[in-house]
Amino acid sequence: MLRADEPLRAAVVDGDAVRGAALAQRMTRRGYGAMPFHGATGLLKALQGGWRFDLLLLHPAHETAWADLSAACRLRRMPVLLLAEDSAWRTPPAVEALCHGHGLVDFAPLPLADHELEWRLRALLSRSRMPARPSAGAQELVCGDYRFLEDERLVLRRGREVRLDPREFELALMLFRHLGQLLTREFLWIALWKRPPHEGARALNIAAASVRKKLALQEDGGLVLRAAYGRGYMLQEVRSQAEFACELVGYAEA
């Protein structure tokens, strides 16, 4: 267990030893306890040997250990920042599964400035401290006037159904689960389309505008969907926190 005065521990996994070591040095200069690994297998051995890390910086490559590493990250709720040289990059299938099922994943194109690296890591760490979502049984998310029936892919506002298409539902659900948190464009693209955005892509903007309109996420309704230019989206309260506290509960299936 880390002492209160110990730095956050970061694992850096990169098949390029020089690039990985340079990134670990950048993390160390910013106050993290950084350890570089040449591949997923090395990190898995460290985890099995009792090492604990608060976050993972990952430059994916095709290797057989990704499925096991994905499972380990989900089990430990370890935030993951995926790094790549360009927006045309494609993830290995096991890493795509990690992006979809883990929820604590973001994507950043390289090169990455220090201030950009820092706020992305802070956002991931903030999401990791939220309560884990239960994995079994039928669930609904209740937040003020809104109810999300997850198994039925249905959202109700003041008891009335609001029709959302599948991606709009997923986007709205992620925003409500992370109320008050900035979700980056790259994170949302990977979660919804299983790939990073390409230059000029507007599908996320269109989906966000539709969710804002259909769910009346304007200031006079108490919750507002804000766009952070060039970064992402945040669902924000404009009334008291108690009024819009979100709660995940089970419900009986007919």
Side-chain angles (χ1 to χ4, degrees), residues 3 9 18 30 57 64 70 86 106 115 133 156 169 181 240 251:
R3 299 194 313 269
R9 290 177 177 170
V18 174
R30 301 198 67 80
L57 282 75
T64 57
S70 297
D86 57 65
D106 197 3
H115 71 276
R133 177 190 173 197
L156 305 175
F169 180 88
Q181 305 272 340
S240 68
Y251 64 95

Side-chain angles (χ1 to χ4, degrees), residues 29-48:
R29 288 196 298 269
R30 301 198 67 80
Y32 293 87
M35 181 176 293
F37 295 91
H38 185 64
T41 302
L43 175 55
L44 280 169
K45 288 180 178 178
L47 293 171
Q48 292 163 0

Side-chain angles (χ1 to χ4, degrees), residues 116-128:
E116 178 91 355
L117 175 63
E118 183 64 28
W119 79 255
R120 286 180 183 276
L121 292 176
R122 288 184 180 276
L124 274 170
L125 288 165
S126 179
R127 289 209 299 270
S128 74

Side-chain angles (χ1 to χ4, degrees), residues 1-247:
M1 187 178 215
L2 286 176
R3 299 194 313 269
D5 60 344
E6 285 189 275
L8 293 172
R9 290 177 177 170
V12 178
V13 176
D14 195 327
D16 184 319
V18 174
R19 183 177 55 204
L23 181 56
Q25 289 175 2
R26 287 179 64 189
M27 296 292 291
T28 300
R29 288 196 298 269
R30 301 198 67 80
Y32 293 87
M35 181 176 293
F37 295 91
H38 185 64
T41 302
L43 175 55
L44 280 169
K45 288 180 178 178
L47 293 171
Q48 292 163 0
W51 283 87
R52 294 291 181 267
F53 296 95
D54 300 285
L55 54 94
L56 168 61
L57 282 75
L58 174 63
H59 193 287
H62 293 281
E63 60 173 278
T64 57
W66 286 134
D68 292 336
L69 181 58
S70 297
C73 289
R74 285 195 296 269
L75 180 64
R76 292 169 171 80
R77 283 182 59 78
M78 188 192 305
V80 181
L81 181 62
L82 300 172
L83 303 169
E85 280 74 17
D86 57 65
S87 59
W89 167 71
R90 291 292 180 268
T91 58
V95 178
E96 287 190 356
L98 169 63
C99 296
H100 182 67
H102 185 24
L104 299 175
V105 181
D106 197 3
F107 166 86
L110 294 174
L112 190 63
D114 281 347
H115 71 276
E116 178 91 355
L117 175 63
E118 183 64 28
W119 79 255
R120 286 180 183 276
L121 292 176
R122 288 184 180 276
L124 274 170
L125 288 165
S126 179
R127 289 209 299 270
S128 74
R129 294 178 181 121
M130 298 182 68
R133 177 190 173 197
S135 59
Q139 300 291 331
E140 69 177 32
L141 180 69
V142 180
C143 188
D145 295 333
Y146 300 88
R147 293 177 60 203
F148 288 81
L149 308 183
E150 298 187 39
D151 285 7
E152 301 173 37
R153 320 307 291 165
L154 179 66
V155 59
L156 305 175
R157 179 174 181 256
R158 297 174 182 171
R160 294 186 177 182
E161 179 182 353
V162 180
R163 295 186 178 274
L164 300 178
D165 71 29
R167 283 207 174 101
E168 290 171 354
F169 180 88
E170 289 293 336
L171 173 59
L173 185 58
M174 279 189 285
L175 290 165
F176 274 82
R177 280 181 184 158
H178 300 95
L179 181 64
Q181 305 272 340
L182 176 67
L183 300 183
T184 66
R185 293 180 58 84
E186 292 85 358
F187 167 78
L188 292 170
W189 266 92
I190 289 174
L192 296 172
W193 285 277
K194 310 299 183 294
R195 56 183 170 82
H198 57 81
E199 186 176 357
R202 292 187 49 80
L204 178 59
N205 306 53
I206 294 170
S210 182
V211 167
R212 182 186 290 115
K213 180 178 180 180
K214 291 179 179 180
L215 295 182
L217 299 176
Q218 311 289 347
E219 292 199 12
D220 57 357
L223 291 173
V224 59
L225 177 55
R226 301 188 189 279
Y229 181 75
R231 291 192 171 185
Y233 289 91
M234 176 190 294
L235 183 62
Q236 193 170 27
E237 303 168 59
V238 290
R239 292 186 192 168
S240 68
Q241 184 173 2
E243 186 173 355
F244 285 100
C246 293
E247 181 182 7

